[in-house]
């Protein structure tokens, strides 16, 4: 075992290519791809990690791509595109996942993945879209995402025998599942998220009753909006941001439902201040001060002004260009 001060640092050892080569799917999760490659070669993810020269189990990042690309005989650029790019923006963690920037990193599921059981048995791989916390329902099968094994009730982990097998050895399954109505709020939110990851923004304005400007948001902006509008169950409820990353899929499904309903109310209301007790003001303030796109900031300022009667002086300039070019991503390579 490596000494504590060397944990996480690549070990100096020769790399060997593996006999079975796997082709990555366009929408495949980076961690899922590594797990699939390991299984195809009769290895565990621990074993693959060790061969790549990493000393401890963890989530792997874009900066780790070179070692895995050499081992798996995969183009380095392709491997980099699969793995999450990790860095900092304005002193806070920020991630880029297959072209989508996330300033609010708790919006991603990194250590505790979720799956659609139907998809994973049909396609044999994990999708990038599943890494987004607000993707709570498979937009294809319209069933809630699964985060626990039905056989042992343990949370899912990346370090498991195969993409479709739990660490307890049981194949993933769901009993008594049913399809949700396509018009359900949580299904609509998941469908929007899937469209972002497919490379284009959804035309949310086609959804009757929602504000037109929602279609102009970044994915980070859309998720932050949903979170701000739907986190509070009751009026004037205190929201603890630090605890939300541990909440269940069911919790986030309910957030999506409340958010879409309240955004519909906002679009129709002659007096948006009536929503003030039900909206997380702090989330909107943080969004206004730190956004990945100027449109996001403009919407945050609009909501603060119209719901809370608050004006915030915020400037959007050079920081955005630095973020888009990822030049602030330092110290994580």
């Amino acid at each position: 075992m490596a000494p504590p001060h060397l944990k996480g640092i690549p070990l100096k050892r020769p790399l060997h290519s593996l006999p079975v080569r796997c082709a990555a799917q366009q929408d495949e999760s980076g961690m899922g791809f590594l797990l699939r490659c390991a299984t195809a070669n009769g290895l565990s993810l621990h074993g693959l990690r060790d061969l790549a020269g990493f000393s401890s189990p963890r989530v792997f990042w874009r900066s780790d791509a070179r070692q895995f690309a050499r081992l798996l005989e995969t183009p380095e650029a392709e491997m980099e595109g699969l793995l999450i790019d990790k860095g900092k923006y304005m002193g806070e963690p920020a991630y880029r996942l297959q072209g989508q920037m996330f300033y609010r990193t708790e919006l991603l599921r990194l250590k505790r993945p979720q799956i659609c059981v139907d998809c994973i048995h049909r396609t044999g791989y994990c999708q990038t879209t599943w890494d987004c916390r607000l993707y709570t329902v498979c937009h294809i099968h319209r069933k809630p995402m699964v985060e626990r094994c039905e056989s042992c009730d343990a949370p899912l982990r990346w370090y498991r025998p195969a993409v479709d097998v739990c660490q307890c050895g049981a194949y993933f399954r769901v009993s008594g599942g049913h399809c949700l109505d396509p018009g359900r709020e949580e299904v609509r939110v998941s469908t929007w998220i899937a469209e972002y990851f497919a490379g284009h923004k959804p035309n949310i304005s086609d959804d009757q009753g929602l504000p037109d400007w929602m279609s102009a948001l970044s994915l980070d902006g859309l998720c932050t909006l949903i979170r701000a509008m739907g986190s509070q169950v009751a009026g004037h409820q205190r929201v603890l941001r630090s605890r939300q990353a541990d909440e269940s899929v069911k919790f986030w499904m309910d957030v999506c439902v409340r958010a879409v309903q309240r955004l519909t109310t906002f679009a129709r209301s002659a007096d948006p201040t009536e929503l003030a007790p039900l909206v997380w003001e702090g989330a909107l303030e943080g969004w206004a001060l730190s956004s990945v796109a100027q449109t996001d900031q403009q919407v945050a300022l609009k909501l603060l002004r119209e719901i809370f009667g608050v004006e915030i002086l915020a400037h959007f300039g050079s920081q955005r260009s630095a973020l888009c070019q990822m030049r602030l991503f330092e110290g994580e390579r």
Side-chain angles (χ1 to χ4, degrees):
M1 182 177 294
H5 68 284
L6 294 180
K7 286 186 177 180
I9 299 176
L11 299 176
K12 301 297 183 181
R13 64 176 66 183
L15 292 173
H16 305 280
S17 61
L18 298 177
V20 179
R21 296 180 61 181
C22 299
Q25 301 299 313
Q26 187 174 6
D27 59 343
E28 187 166 11
S29 160
M31 288 295 293
F33 176 67
L34 294 178
L35 173 57
R36 187 162 65 85
C37 290
T39 304
N41 283 280
L43 297 170
S44 66
L45 190 52
H46 290 284
L48 185 71
R49 180 209 79 222
D50 187 59
L51 285 177
F54 297 99
S55 62
S56 59
R58 59 177 174 83
V59 173
F60 294 107
W61 312 102
R62 185 178 185 270
S63 56
D64 303 317
R66 176 171 297 180
Q67 288 93 317
F68 284 114
R70 291 173 60 190
L71 179 64
L72 300 173
E73 294 188 349
T74 299
E76 186 174 340
E78 181 178 314
M79 196 74 244
E80 287 179 343
L82 289 172
L83 295 171
I84 298 174
D85 199 1
K86 176 185 179 184
K88 291 186 177 180
Y89 171 55
M90 295 179 63
E92 296 294 330
Y95 299 151
R96 182 168 58 187
L97 176 59
Q98 293 198 3
Q100 301 296 330
M101 180 72 73
F102 286 88
Y103 179 64
R104 286 141 195 95
T105 57
E106 62 271 19
L107 292 174
L108 295 178
R109 302 181 65 101
L110 301 178
K111 297 180 180 179
R112 292 187 177 181
Q114 61 180 0
I115 63 169
C116 168
V117 174
D118 289 350
C119 281
I120 214 164
H121 289 313
R122 179 175 62 87
T123 67
Y125 69 92
C126 300
Q127 298 177 23
T128 300
T129 315
W130 301 348
D131 292 340
C132 183
R133 196 173 295 278
L134 285 172
Y135 186 86
T136 60
V137 177
C138 174
H139 73 288
I140 299 172
H141 297 103
R142 303 199 308 275
K143 295 180 181 179
M145 298 297 289
V146 172
E147 61 185 344
R148 287 182 173 273
C149 172
E150 187 166 292
S151 297
C152 68
D153 197 40
L156 271 57
R157 301 192 311 232
W158 283 119
Y159 286 84
R160 57 184 193 254
V163 293
D164 57 350
V165 178
C166 176
Q167 54 265 25
C168 73
Y171 282 94
F172 293 126
R173 59 188 175 86
V174 176
S175 59
H178 63 280
C179 295
L180 299 176
D181 187 277
R184 288 276 297 255
E185 292 86 351
E186 59 269 62
V187 178
R188 291 158 68 188
V189 172
S190 288
T191 301
W192 300 337
I193 292 171
E195 290 188 36
Y196 275 96
F197 278 108
H200 52 84
K201 290 186 177 180
N203 194 358
I204 299 175
S205 58
D206 283 350
D207 282 295
Q208 186 176 3
L210 289 170
D212 293 341
W213 41 257
M214 285 181 64
S215 297
L217 296 173
S218 70
L219 179 54
D220 179 81
L222 175 67
C223 291
T224 304
L225 172 68
I226 296 295
R227 185 184 184 197
M229 299 297 291
S231 286
Q232 292 184 200
V233 178
H236 303 290
Q237 180 184 8
R238 183 186 179 191
V239 180
L240 297 177
R241 172 180 173 178
S242 60
R243 293 185 181 178
Q244 286 196 329
D246 296 324
E247 295 287 0
S248 66
V249 167
K250 179 61 169 63
F251 169 86
W252 290 105
M253 288 175 67
D254 292 341
V255 168
C256 292
V257 171
R258 291 191 293 267
V260 173
Q261 291 175 350
R262 290 167 186 172
L263 284 163
T264 302
T265 299
F266 174 84
R268 297 174 178 174
S269 178
D271 182 16
T273 60
E274 294 176 346
L275 283 170
L278 298 171
V279 177
W280 184 9
E281 184 178 2
L284 293 179
E285 290 176 349
W287 188 26
L289 294 173
S290 303
S291 302
V292 304
Q294 191 167 17
T295 302
D296 293 356
Q297 185 186 60
Q298 291 170 345
V299 169
L301 293 172
K302 171 185 175 67
L303 293 173
L304 284 168
R305 181 172 59 252
E306 296 185 11
I307 296 177
F308 295 99
V310 172
E311 292 283 356
I312 291 182
L313 296 177
H315 300 281
F316 198 88
S318 59
Q319 290 170 338
R320 179 189 178 215
S321 62
L323 178 62
C324 290
Q325 296 171 23
M326 302 291 282
R327 290 177 180 170
L328 292 180
F329 275 51
E330 75 284 343
E332 301 290 349
R333 300 293 181 181

